[in-house]
Amino acid sequence: MKEKKTKKTGKKLEDLENRLKRTLADYTNLEKRIAREKEEFVRFSNAQLLDKFLLVLDDLELCQKHLKDKGVSLVYNRFKEVLQSEEVKEIKVLGQEFNPETMDAVEIVSGPKNKVIEVVLRGYLLNGKVLRPAKVKVGQGKITKKQKEEAKKVERETLRGNYV
């Protein structure tokens, strides 16, 4: 009888020990997951602020192109370095195949089919995720004479205010 109780108690003890180990492992995993989520939250909580900074970067770039001033160029380059240090990277799109995940097509123009012909507004990634998609003009292949005439007609009507 005593031996039976000892076996039962030993089995209960072993079961409790296993449950304790599983609980500790679960707790450790929970701590790690919370730390990862917290780190990711901090990393992406700056996304809105960085997106606003991109507008300033765009303005500095336009200013640099038009003024060709060394001071503006220095500020522009420094600003880009700061953004890069925050893991903001430009999306390289010129001449690439159009990708709707990282680009917005603002116009379809003549040129190689489905290739980015011109970048209207640069796009950026934050830690590998799209912060702002690139605004691009995409080639549609060869344009027929009829398509050119239709485009001119739409343009004239738009200028007159007759086209909706």
Side-chain angles (χ1 to χ4, degrees):
M1 186 82 169
K2 211 176 185 184
E3 193 175 294
K4 234 180 181 182
K5 269 191 172 182
T6 308
K7 279 186 179 180
K8 243 184 178 179
T9 308
K11 190 170 178 162
K12 265 188 172 179
L13 184 61
E14 188 178 317
D15 184 46
L16 286 173
E17 193 176 311
N18 286 335
R19 288 174 63 189
L20 177 64
K21 287 178 183 177
R22 279 194 300 272
T23 304
L24 286 173
D26 287 346
Y27 181 75
T28 304
N29 290 336
L30 177 66
E31 280 184 326
K32 288 177 185 177
R33 191 182 87 225
I34 289 173
R36 262 193 325 267
E37 287 174 355
K38 185 178 178 183
E39 184 179 306
E40 191 170 312
F41 175 77
V42 168
R43 201 178 318 156
F44 288 104
S45 65
N46 294 330
Q48 285 184 328
L49 179 63
L50 291 170
D51 190 38
K52 289 177 183 179
F53 283 154
L54 292 178
L55 297 173
V56 176
L57 182 69
D58 296 336
D59 291 342
L60 281 171
E61 182 180 12
L62 287 173
C63 194
Q64 176 193 20
K65 283 181 182 176
H66 292 291
L67 296 179
K68 295 180 178 27
D69 182 65
K70 282 187 178 183
V72 174
S73 293
L74 288 171
V75 171
Y76 173 73
N77 290 331
R78 180 66 182 127
F79 202 85
K80 279 178 69 172
E81 288 172 10
V82 169
L83 289 173
Q84 286 173 350
S85 73
E86 293 298 319
E87 299 299 318
V88 176
K89 294 185 171 78
E90 183 182 339
I91 303 171
K92 302 292 183 193
V93 295
L94 192 61
Q96 301 294 317
E97 190 81 16
F98 177 74
N99 179 354
E101 293 178 5
T102 58
M103 304 172 206
D104 286 340
V106 294
E107 190 176 343
I108 296 175
V109 296
S110 63
K113 188 167 181 72
N114 215 25
K115 296 280 186 180
V116 175
I117 305 302
E118 184 181 337
V119 178
V120 177
L121 188 65
R122 297 173 195 256
Y124 293 90
L125 299 171
L126 173 62
N127 297 310
K129 293 185 182 179
V130 177
L131 180 60
R132 181 177 78 185
K135 309 280 187 208
V136 297
K137 293 182 181 181
V138 181
Q140 71 171 5
K142 292 185 177 180
I143 296 179
T144 64
K145 200 174 195 179
K146 184 179 178 182
Q147 288 172 322
K148 282 183 186 179
E149 289 171 6
E150 184 64 31
K152 284 182 184 179
K153 180 182 173 188
V154 168
E155 186 177 346
R156 281 193 303 271
E157 289 176 358
T158 303
L159 292 174
R160 283 192 227 136
N162 299 336
Y163 191 80
V164 179

